């Protein structure tokens, strides 16, 4: 006999509650100890679930960290998810302008500075793990944003839309490297100005192409 609908709903609710508890606990531990500072047992205890439950939801600690990072970076997607459908007939240029506008209007420095801090190694040096985690987190954001843009613009060509979104979101990974070298990962006014300049450069180059041009900050004739 198949399970009753209420029983299925209860199981789904419990699973969702456990999933949320694990992510919330991981966020708190990341903030307190960094990505290398806690164990699965500590995480399970804080989330009030078993170690087995943690691994029923996530294959590895890095997957949990990536889930937290994706949520931290998710404001740009939530901006669109809170809106209704866009007017019909919008061109791909219009989609580009929407995504570029969201990146410009969303405070990305605060979450990126946070992620830079919690993903640093004990010797305060960038690591391959940090790069991989950030890349996967940005990739998840890109996939969510692509899906949302296609929902808002059902007339848009899917491949072009996904390429457009991934070009901008993927570029943020490169911006992070340059921003970190220039600012040390701070979130003050000077750091935000550096980020804004880099973001403008990314948007301009993605829109206009990548022919050889003067370097960022160089005078133009």
């Amino acid at each position: 006999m198949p399970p009753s609908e209420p029983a299925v709903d209860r199981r789904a609710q419990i699973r969702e509650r456990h999933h949320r508890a694990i992510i919330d606990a991981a966020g708190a531990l990341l903030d307190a100890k960094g990505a290398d500072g806690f164990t699965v047992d500590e995480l399970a205890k804080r989330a009030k679930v078993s170690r087995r439950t943690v691994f029923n939801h996530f294959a590895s600690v890095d997957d949990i960290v990536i889930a937290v990072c994706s949520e931290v970076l998710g404001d740009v997607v939530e901006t669109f998810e809170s809106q209704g459908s866009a007017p019909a007939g919008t061109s791909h240029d219009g989609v580009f302008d929407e995504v570029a506008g969201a990146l410009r209007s969303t405070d990305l420095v605060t979450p990126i500075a946070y992620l830079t801090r919690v993903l640093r190694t004990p010797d305060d040096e960038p690591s391959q793990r940090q790069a991989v985690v950030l890349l996967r987190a940005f990739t998840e954001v890109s996939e969510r944003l692509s899906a949302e843009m296609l929902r808002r613009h059902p007339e848009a060509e899917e491949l072009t839309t996904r390429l457009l979104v991934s070009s901008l979101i993927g570029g943020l990974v490169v911006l992070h490297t340059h921003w970190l070298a220039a600012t040390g990962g701070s979130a003050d006014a000077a750091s935000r100005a550096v980020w804004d300049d880099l973001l403008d450069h990314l948007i301009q180059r993605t829109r206009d192409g990548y022919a050889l041009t003067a370097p960022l900050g160089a005078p133009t004739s």
Side-chain angles (χ1 to χ4, degrees), residues 3-221:
S4 65
E5 191 66 29
V8 173
D9 287 347
R10 282 197 297 273
R11 285 199 293 271
Q13 290 169 2
I14 291 171
R15 180 171 178 81
E16 175 58 30
R17 187 165 64 247
H18 286 167
H19 191 88
R20 183 73 260 160
I22 293 167
I23 291 179
D24 289 345
L29 288 168
L30 277 170
D31 194 38
K33 299 185 174 185
D36 295 316
F38 65 91
T39 66
V40 174
D41 289 334
E42 287 178 285
L43 175 60
K45 181 177 180 180
R46 190 176 189 104
K48 298 180 180 179
V49 299
S50 69
R51 178 187 176 95
R52 179 178 179 180
T53 298
V54 171
F55 285 115
N56 281 341
H57 286 261
F58 297 97
S60 68
V61 172
D62 274 359
D63 284 343
I64 301 169
V65 172
I66 289 163
V68 175
C69 293
S70 298
E71 285 202 353
V72 171
L73 293 169
D75 283 351
V76 67
V77 184
E78 290 168 7
T79 298
F80 286 113
E81 289 177 341
S82 65
Q83 300 171 357
S85 297
T90 303
S91 66
H92 284 110
D93 284 343
V95 174
F96 183 95
D97 289 338
E98 280 192 62
V99 177
L103 293 179
R104 283 188 167 122
S105 63
T106 302
D107 173 19
L108 288 172
V109 171
T110 296
I112 289 173
Y114 164 78
L115 295 179
T116 299
R117 175 174 62 82
V118 301
L119 293 173
R120 273 179 168 151
T121 59
D123 58 5
D124 206 34
E125 290 295 327
S127 67
Q128 183 177 5
R129 181 192 185 198
Q130 179 191 74
V132 169
V133 168
L134 282 174
L135 178 59
R136 285 184 58 188
F138 276 116
T139 298
E140 288 196 9
V141 170
S142 178
E143 290 172 354
R144 284 181 59 197
L145 185 54
S146 292
E148 180 58 24
M149 295 309 296
L150 288 166
R151 182 191 71 80
R152 287 174 54 76
H153 299 278
E155 77 289 347
E157 199 275 320
E158 180 177 356
L159 177 59
T160 300
T161 300
R162 291 188 179 279
L163 287 171
L164 183 158
V165 172
S166 64
S167 294
L168 286 170
I169 301 299
L172 298 181
V173 180
V174 180
L175 295 196
H176 172 265
T177 301
H178 288 264
W179 169 82
L180 181 58
T183 68
S186 62
D188 55 20
S191 174
R192 293 176 191 280
V194 170
W195 179 264
D196 288 344
D197 285 344
L198 289 168
L199 183 59
D200 284 344
H201 190 75
L202 168 65
I203 291 170
Q204 178 185 336
R205 291 294 174 263
T206 306
R207 182 192 296 280
D208 299 338
Y210 291 90
L212 291 178
T213 58
L216 179 63
T220 57
S221 56

